Amino acid sequence: MKLFFMSDIHGSIVCLNQALAAFEAEQADYLVCLGDLLYHGPRNPLPEEYNPKEVAARLNGFKDRIISVRGNCDAEVDQMLIEFPIMSEYAILFYEGRRIFVTHGHHHHIDNLPHLSPGDVFIQGHTHVPVAEKRGEVIVLNPGSITLPKENNPRSYGVMEGTGFRIKDFSGNILKQIDFAG
């Protein structure tokens, strides 16, 4: 199985279309959205081609393949447009014998981890900064942002396949990677 992770769309239809093209090119089985789907938020600039209604419609076309969590900019009114669940603070996935804790990152985050077991994987968005590293006995990941990257990073997404996780830009360059077995 192959999982595709993206975060912080913030209502940009052009960036979402680019991410969905990468999702299809990667031939991933599921698309995991780490929150902040429609609204750009009061701290962010207006994203390129801001169109929350169209973003919702495009995501709904993939609703049978999306796992999503709520970001700090997501609201109950957004759920009225979205045809898959987005209001959960976190999701627990099981992948290749590992427990994966998925959240946006505004409550639990890399510096405030939930209770995890050795070998578990923690994945968040929120900071718009890619991360792929081991912290003690836990692997921590952040695919960055597909719309508003920070700290001079390019727009990026993550792919989990086999025993590894790769963070890529939209040109296909690997920005960061980690092997869970190593």
Side-chain angles (χ1 to χ4, degrees), residues 38-142:
L38 304 182
Y39 180 53
H40 70 285
R43 296 178 298 172
N44 295 314
L46 199 61
E48 182 180 359
E49 292 191 38
Y50 183 65
N51 190 337
K53 191 172 181 180
E54 184 64 24
V55 166
R58 282 288 283 142
L59 287 171
N60 287 339
F62 292 83
K63 66 185 172 189
D64 60 332
R65 296 173 66 195
I66 292 179
I67 299 163
S68 188
V69 295
R70 180 182 190 166
N72 60 303
C73 292
D74 297 325
E76 290 180 18
V77 70
D78 298 338
Q79 186 66 78
M80 297 169 109
L81 293 175
I82 301 281
E83 297 173 0
F84 52 89
I86 66 166
M87 298 308 291
S88 178
E89 291 292 325
Y90 64 89
I92 304 288
L93 310 177
F94 290 92
Y95 181 83
E96 302 288 331
R98 292 183 185 276
R99 180 172 61 160
I100 314 292
F101 188 100
V102 177
T103 191
H104 180 63
H106 59 295
H107 292 150
H108 287 104
H109 48 80
I110 289 171
D111 295 319
N112 181 36
L113 294 172
H115 296 289
L116 299 170
S117 299
D120 285 350
V121 178
F122 176 85
I123 303 177
Q124 74 165 81
H126 187 56
T127 65
H128 303 214
V129 178
V131 175
E133 61 189 44
K134 196 166 184 184
R135 292 248 179 123
E137 301 282 332
V138 175
I139 296 159
V140 295
L141 305 168
N142 185 329

Side-chain angles (χ1 to χ4, degrees), residues 2-15:
K2 189 174 190 179
L3 302 176
F4 184 98
F5 292 82
M6 69 176 174
S7 190
D8 299 283
I9 303 166
H10 289 292
S12 172
I13 189 62
V14 69
C15 294

